[in-house]
Amino acid sequence: MEEVRRWDELIPDALGLIFSNLSLQEKLTVIPRVCKSWNKAVSGPYCWQEIDIEEWFCQCEPDHLDRMVRMLVTRSCGSLRKICVSSLRNDTTFSFIAEHAGSLQMLQLPRSEISDCIVEQIVGKLSTVTFLDVSYCNKIGARALEAIGKHCKLLVGLRRNMHPLDSAGKLSQEDEALAIATRMPKIRHLEMAYNLTTTESVLRILSSCKELELLDLRGCWDVKLDGKFLKEKFPKLKVLGPLVVDYYEINEWDNCSEYSDAVSGYFSWDFIAGEMDDYDDDDDESFDGMWDDECRLEELELRFYEAAHEDMGMHGWPQSP
């Protein structure tokens, strides 16, 4: 008779690789309750080499975000390769991520309250990062980008999109474009939509970044580039904008698109198994409050930009001037 292998007898590493394909909710609230071996596997690093809590953040209490990030990063035990989290509220959590970034390749922190000062202090610990998303991070500027370019020598992808309303009060972001041109010569994928930059600064980027393949300039109204010139001088370069249109783009960096169909879903995380025993925190509060109420992620229409402002209305982004 052929021997039947039991799932609970698989080694933790193998189970961890399998469970890494499950949703965050399932890994934290379902798998740990199945059996001891599954609980052990989901508590190990193989499930947490890639951490994406964007979906969870949309329906959680803001106070829980930092604690969740710290818990999951700690579980990765230094094997973290990708982390995607938005709206970090302080420099402390960013520093914590950097302390555990020995293997980190993709870092996505849109809408976060990180500052130039903290980036300059800890960016040396992010030397393995190849793709960085600091879109809508209004407290950083050219100083942070220059430090990133200086220390992140493997960086080939940068997402630095801005919200049109946030850019309205600024005089210029030319210093950011010059920092990219000066410090990031190996960049291949660059998004700088709604940046207040000029034609001269963009030409400086094009002349310095010889490996550039995709340049997103949508909403950069002061930039005027001749299509024929670009085709002759940079035949391999794809330029988007400055005209803003609905556009569907799939790239090698992630599975996010610049336009997606309306998404809706219900989240009811009534418990969290194991009470996250491996998370050490001085605060005795339980994580149970994270999942108490049934939450609904309202139907959203995503049109390239992730940030949302109530006064933008129902009709997307401002029309081209």
Side-chain angles (χ1 to χ4, degrees), residues 92-295:
T92 305
T93 306
F94 178 51
S95 298
F96 183 83
I97 293 173
E99 291 291 340
H100 298 78
S103 302
L104 189 62
Q105 297 174 0
M106 298 184 66
L107 176 61
Q108 299 177 238
L109 302 172
R111 297 184 294 277
S112 294
E113 299 293 319
I114 55 178
S115 64
D116 280 335
C117 184
I118 193 63
V119 171
E120 290 175 324
Q121 290 177 20
I122 60 88
V123 71
K125 299 176 181 180
L126 302 174
S127 59
T128 59
V129 170
T130 60
F131 181 82
L132 176 66
D133 185 352
V134 286
S135 297
Y136 327 115
C137 295
N138 296 317
K139 292 186 177 180
I140 66 171
R143 285 172 50 196
L145 294 180
E146 186 171 352
I148 290 167
K150 179 180 179 181
H151 293 279
C152 301
K153 300 297 186 182
L154 301 178
L155 190 70
V156 292
L158 175 66
R159 187 173 289 157
R160 178 58 175 158
N161 299 317
M162 301 301 294
H163 191 283
L165 295 185
D166 292 335
S167 298
K170 295 185 178 181
L171 297 176
S172 173
Q173 289 176 287
E174 283 193 85
D175 54 349
E176 293 191 18
L178 294 177
I180 293 171
T182 303
R183 292 291 188 178
M184 304 180 186
K186 295 183 179 180
I187 204 81
R188 296 204 307 263
H189 179 117
L190 176 59
E191 297 181 24
M192 46 191 299
Y194 282 105
N195 273 232
L196 298 177
T197 190
T198 64
T199 303
E200 182 180 357
S201 297
V202 171
L203 290 176
R204 178 81 174 268
I205 291 175
L206 293 178
S207 63
S208 301
C209 305
K210 304 294 187 181
E211 300 180 30
L212 197 60
E213 298 174 358
L214 175 66
L215 176 60
D216 191 342
L217 298 172
R218 278 172 289 184
C220 300
W221 307 121
D222 293 331
V223 177
K224 310 295 181 184
L225 296 175
D226 181 80
K228 184 178 180 180
F229 167 79
L230 291 175
K231 188 174 182 179
E232 292 178 353
K233 294 292 185 180
F234 310 98
K236 296 182 179 180
L237 175 63
K238 183 174 184 178
V239 178
L240 307 180
L243 181 65
V244 178
V245 294
D246 284 344
Y247 186 83
Y248 185 82
E249 174 75 22
I250 298 178
N251 60 59
E252 66 270 28
W253 301 114
D254 54 35
N255 294 322
C256 299
S257 67
E258 295 157 336
Y259 175 83
S260 69
D261 295 330
V263 179
S264 65
Y266 292 87
F267 299 86
S268 180
W269 297 12
D270 297 322
F271 56 86
I272 184 161
E275 298 182 358
M276 302 184 182
D277 292 331
D278 62 330
Y279 179 71
D280 184 17
D281 188 17
D282 294 334
D283 189 350
D284 291 329
E285 262 185 63
S286 170
F287 276 87
D288 291 342
M290 292 184 186
W291 337 109
D292 284 343
D293 300 322
E294 183 177 274
C295 301

